[in-house]
Amino acid sequence: MPAATTTNDQSTTTNGGSGVAQLDHILTTFTTLTDPLAINDALLVIEYSLQGPQATAQTTQKVLSSIPLGYFFTVLQQDYGYDTEQTIDRTCHILELLLKDQAYSTLIQDEFMVVALSQALDSPSPRVRALGLSQVDKISEEDLPVLRTLLMSPVFKAVVGGIGSGSISIAERSKKTLLKLCDTQERLEAVINNTEAFTQIKDLTNSRDSIVQLRMIEALTELASKSSETTALLETKSLLDSLKSGLTSTDILTRFNILEILAEFGTTLSGSEFLDHSGVLARIGQVVENEASQDSLGLNAIVKLYGKLGAAEQVDFVSLDMKYQILGQLERLLVGDDEYEPDESSKVEVMSAIGLIGGNVQNVEWVSQSQCSEEFIVALQSLPRDARVAWYHSLAQILACSPDPSQETERIISEFYTRLDGDSHLQSPFVTRLLTSAKSQSQELAMSALSVMIPLAHYAFGVQKLATQRDVLTFLMDRNAEQSHSEKVAKHEVIVAMLTTAEEAKSSSGADLLTADQVSRLDLHRRQGPFYQRATATVSIQDITA
C-alpha cells in the first residue's frame, strides 16, 4: 500500500484526487493489514478523511460500507507493542466520528455491535471505556422503552460495574453515564424498579470497599439533589441509608467523606430537607456536643457543612438554626468550654463558617443579632496574626452580603458595625485597628484588612467612618509605600467605592459624605488609576554646569 507521510500528524497525500485514491485503496485493504505501523498509517488517513476539509456524509458512508464497524472494535482488542496506545486512541476517535450521528437504538440492532460494545465497556483502557460509555449516553435522548431494553442487557451491568473500577477515570466516567441515564424522575424510576439494576446499585451502595461505596453514594446524592420527589424515591428504596449510617462509621476517613457529601447535598433544597427530616442534623449536633474533642477532622467537616448550609440561597438556614441551634454550636466551637478547647485551626474554620452564613443576605440580621456574632466580635482581641486574617475575611463576607445593599440591609450592617466600635462617638476604634493591619508588612494581613475596607466603603456610614480619619485617606492615596500589585488594586477599589457611595448619597438625599477637597483628591487618584507614577525630569551634570 502507498505509505502515508505523517508530518505534524497530518497526511501529505490526502489532498485532492491523490487523497481520495489513497483512501479508496486503504478501504479495500484495511482488514488484511497486520503490520502495526501500516495499520496506524491507514488509521491516520481514515481519521483525516473523516474530519479534514474533504470530510462529507458520503465519506463517512464510504468508510462504513467498506469496513464493518465491528472490525474497528476488533482493532481495539489487539496488542501493537509500543504503538498500542496511539493506535487505540486513533481508532476510538474514528469510531466516535463514524458513530456520532447514530442513535443507540440503531446500533444495538446489530448483534455484533452489542457484543463489541460490551467488550468496550469491559476494557481496562479508560479511552476505550469512554468510547463505549459515550454510546450509552445517547439513550438519554431516546424514548423510555430504549432505556428499558438497556436494563435487560449486559451493557447496563457493565456501565454500573465500571463505578467499582480500580481506575478513577473509568469509575468517574461510568458514574457520569449512570447519572445521565437517570436524569429524569421517570427514567430513575425505570432503573430503580428494575430488579437486577436495583440489586446491582444496592450492592455497590453497601460495598465493603469504602471507596466504591462512597462513589455510589455520591452518585445517588447527586440524583437526590434534583428534587424532593427524587429524594423520596431513593429513600423509599433505602438507597440513602448508607448516607445516614456513614456518620456512625468507625473509620474516620469514611465519616469525613460522608460529611463532605452531605455538605454538597445540603446546599440544595431537597438536600437540606433530607438533612432535617432524616435525623442527620440531629445526629451531627450530638457529635458536636459529645464528641468534639475526639475527631478534629470530622469536626472541621461539620463546621464546613454548616457554612455551606448557611451560604446556600435556597436553604432556610434560619429555620434550621431555630431547630438545631447551629449558631450556638459554632459559638461553643469558637470559644470552647470545660470539655472542649479549640485550637487555632479550628477557630479559623468556625470563623469562615460564620462569614459564609452571615454573608448570605437572608441570614445577616439573624446572625448579627446572635450571641455567636458577639463572641465573633470579641474573638478579634486575642487572635494571633494568621487567625486575624481569617477573621477579617469573614467580616468582609458579612459586610458584602449584598452587591446592592437596601436601606434595611444598611441598617442591619450599621448596627452590627456599631458593636465593633463599642461606645465610641468620634473616630472609629475599629477603623484605627483596621488601618494598622492594612499597613502591615505581612501582605496576607494587609490584604485581609483591605478586603474589609472595600465592602465597608459601599455603605454611607462606612464612607463616613473611613473619611473621618485623615490617616486612612493618606494611606489610601500614598503611592510611595512599598506595596504589592494586589494591595495597590485593593486600595484603588476602596477609593472607587467611597466615591461611588458618596455620589449616590449626594444624588438621592443631598447628603455630603465627603468634603469637596476629599472628593477632588480622591477623584484625581481614581482617574489616575492604581499604578500611576509621577513623571520626573532627568537633568545631566553637563546641563547644570553649562
Side-chain angles (χ1 to χ4, degrees):
M1 59 169 284
T5 305
T6 56
T7 302
N8 295 326
D9 209 33
Q10 289 188 354
S11 171
T12 59
T13 60
T14 51
N15 297 311
S18 61
V20 172
Q22 186 183 33
L23 176 63
D24 289 343
H25 177 75
I26 285 173
L27 294 180
T28 59
T29 61
F30 184 70
T31 57
T32 65
L33 298 177
T34 57
D35 178 65
L37 182 59
I39 292 174
N40 192 54
D41 283 346
L43 289 170
L44 176 60
V45 174
I46 296 173
E47 181 183 38
Y48 183 77
S49 300
L50 293 172
Q51 64 178 356
Q54 77 287 354
T56 62
Q58 288 73 22
T59 304
T60 299
Q61 189 56 48
K62 180 190 289 187
V63 175
L64 288 171
S65 301
S66 305
I67 305 174
L69 271 173
Y71 189 79
F72 286 108
F73 280 95
T74 301
V75 172
L76 294 175
Q77 311 301 319
Q78 307 302 315
D79 183 356
Y80 301 97
Y82 292 114
D83 295 324
T84 298
E85 186 175 347
Q86 183 183 50
T87 302
I88 286 176
D89 187 67
R90 184 156 286 145
T91 305
C92 285
H93 189 213
I94 289 171
L95 281 166
E96 287 168 348
L97 293 170
L98 291 172
L99 298 173
K100 64 180 180 180
D101 295 324
Q102 294 200 38
Y104 179 83
S105 53
T106 301
L107 294 177
I108 60 172
Q109 292 177 10
D110 183 343
E111 291 185 7
F112 187 86
M113 277 299 298
V114 174
V115 174
L117 188 56
S118 297
Q119 290 175 340
L121 292 171
D122 194 41
S123 172
S125 166
R127 184 68 176 87
V128 177
R129 286 275 189 123
L131 168 68
L133 291 168
S134 66
Q135 303 312 307
V136 181
D137 287 345
K138 296 175 179 179
I139 294 179
S140 63
E141 301 172 2
E142 300 202 53
D143 295 335
L144 205 56
V146 181
L147 174 60
R148 292 197 174 99
T149 300
L150 170 72
L151 297 174
M152 303 301 292
S153 77
V155 171
F156 182 80
K157 185 175 182 180
V159 169
V160 179
I163 297 176
S165 171
S167 165
I168 295 177
S169 59
I170 289 176
E172 289 300 316
R173 185 61 182 80
S174 300
K175 186 174 73 174
K176 181 180 177 182
T177 293
L178 177 62
L179 292 173
K180 187 166 286 190
L181 294 177
C182 303
D183 64 347
T184 67
Q185 182 79 4
E186 188 179 31
R187 289 176 180 276
L188 177 60
E189 288 177 359
V191 173
I192 298 302
N193 290 330
N194 180 281
T195 303
E196 290 188 8
F198 170 77
T199 300
Q200 191 179 6
I201 292 172
K202 183 74 172 178
D203 287 346
L204 288 179
T205 306
N206 297 321
S207 173
R208 292 184 179 181
D209 185 328
S210 61
I211 294 177
V212 173
Q213 181 188 40
L214 287 169
R215 284 177 190 156
M216 183 54 76
I217 290 175
E218 282 180 335
L220 292 171
T221 51
E222 189 168 337
L223 290 171
S225 67
K226 292 180 179 295
S227 68
S228 299
E229 292 74 22
T230 302
T231 303
L233 173 61
L234 294 173
E235 278 194 277
T236 301
K237 293 291 188 175
S238 302
L239 288 175
L240 298 181
D241 287 357
S242 295
L243 189 60
K244 294 180 283 187
S245 62
L247 289 172
T248 58
S249 172
T250 56
D251 181 69
I252 292 177
L253 286 177
T254 296
R255 288 203 305 272
F256 175 77
N257 284 304
I258 288 292
L259 283 165
E260 287 207 317
I261 293 172
L262 286 169
E264 293 300 323
F265 185 29
T267 60
T268 65
L269 177 60
S270 57
S272 64
E273 291 173 345
F274 171 81
L275 296 186
D276 183 11
H277 74 247
S278 68
V280 167
L281 284 177
R283 168 59 184 150
I284 290 176
Q286 292 172 356
V287 172
V288 173
E289 182 178 357
N290 303 318
E291 305 171 31
S293 60
Q294 300 175 20
D295 179 11
S296 59
L297 185 66
L299 191 64
N300 285 344
I302 289 173
V303 172
K304 289 179 180 178
L305 183 152
Y306 285 157
K308 288 188 175 183
L309 277 179
E313 293 183 3
Q314 52 190 329
V315 174
D316 186 354
F317 178 83
V318 174
S319 294
L320 293 178
D321 185 48
M322 292 176 67
K323 189 172 182 178
Y324 299 103
Q325 292 75 54
I326 294 174
L327 291 177
Q329 294 178 45
L330 292 175
E331 177 192 340
R332 176 183 178 240
L333 296 178
L334 179 63
V335 178
D337 55 26
D338 294 339
E339 298 179 356
Y340 175 71
E341 182 62 35
D343 57 24
E344 184 178 326
S345 64
S346 296
K347 289 182 179 181
V348 168
E349 290 291 354
V350 174
M351 290 186 295
S352 297
I354 293 171
L356 286 169
I357 299 168
N360 185 337
V361 71
Q362 299 171 163
N363 309 324
V364 66
E365 183 171 25
W366 182 260
V367 172
S368 67
Q369 294 177 352
S370 69
Q371 182 60 33
C372 181
S373 70
E374 190 65 38
E375 296 297 343
F376 172 77
I377 291 171
V378 172
L380 177 62
Q381 308 302 321
S382 58
L383 292 175
R385 188 186 70 187
D386 290 346
R388 259 184 292 150
V389 170
W391 190 95
Y392 280 136
H393 282 308
S394 295
L395 175 62
Q397 286 182 294
I398 294 173
L399 297 178
C401 62
S402 172
D404 185 20
S406 64
Q407 289 185 344
E408 177 64 11
T409 300
E410 180 154 2
R411 178 193 65 78
I412 295 167
I413 294 297
S414 178
E415 291 177 357
F416 176 71
Y417 184 88
T418 299
R419 291 161 58 197
L420 290 170
D421 267 346
D423 297 327
S424 173
H425 297 292
L426 299 175
Q427 291 189 339
S428 167
F430 178 72
V431 167
T432 300
R433 180 162 196 160
L434 196 61
L435 179 60
T436 300
S437 296
K439 291 180 177 180
S440 171
Q441 293 300 307
S442 165
Q443 183 182 345
E444 192 176 23
L445 181 58
M447 281 300 299
S448 67
L450 286 166
S451 76
V452 172
M453 287 187 181
I454 293 170
L456 184 61
H458 283 86
Y459 297 96
F461 81 88
V463 172
Q464 291 176 314
K465 293 285 185 182
L466 294 170
T468 300
Q469 297 180 223
R470 181 180 299 176
D471 289 349
V472 173
L473 296 186
T474 300
F475 164 73
L476 290 174
M477 292 187 287
D478 182 6
R479 298 185 184 277
N480 298 318
E482 293 182 0
Q483 296 160 334
S484 66
H485 178 282
S486 54
E487 287 175 90
K488 290 179 184 293
V489 170
K491 286 172 64 173
H492 190 260
E493 282 188 56
V494 177
I495 290 172
V496 171
M498 289 181 68
L499 286 170
T500 301
T501 303
E503 290 163 3
E504 290 174 351
K506 181 72 173 177
S507 174
S508 61
S509 64
D512 290 314
L513 304 181
L514 299 169
T515 67
D517 179 61
Q518 288 173 335
V519 171
S520 176
R521 292 164 56 208
L522 288 171
D523 186 55
L524 176 62
H525 199 100
R526 172 174 61 178
R527 287 184 284 108
Q528 290 173 338
F531 308 114
Y532 172 80
Q533 289 185 335
R534 186 186 300 275
T536 56
T538 301
V539 181
S540 67
I541 295 176
Q542 290 87 342
D543 291 335
I544 296 174
T545 59

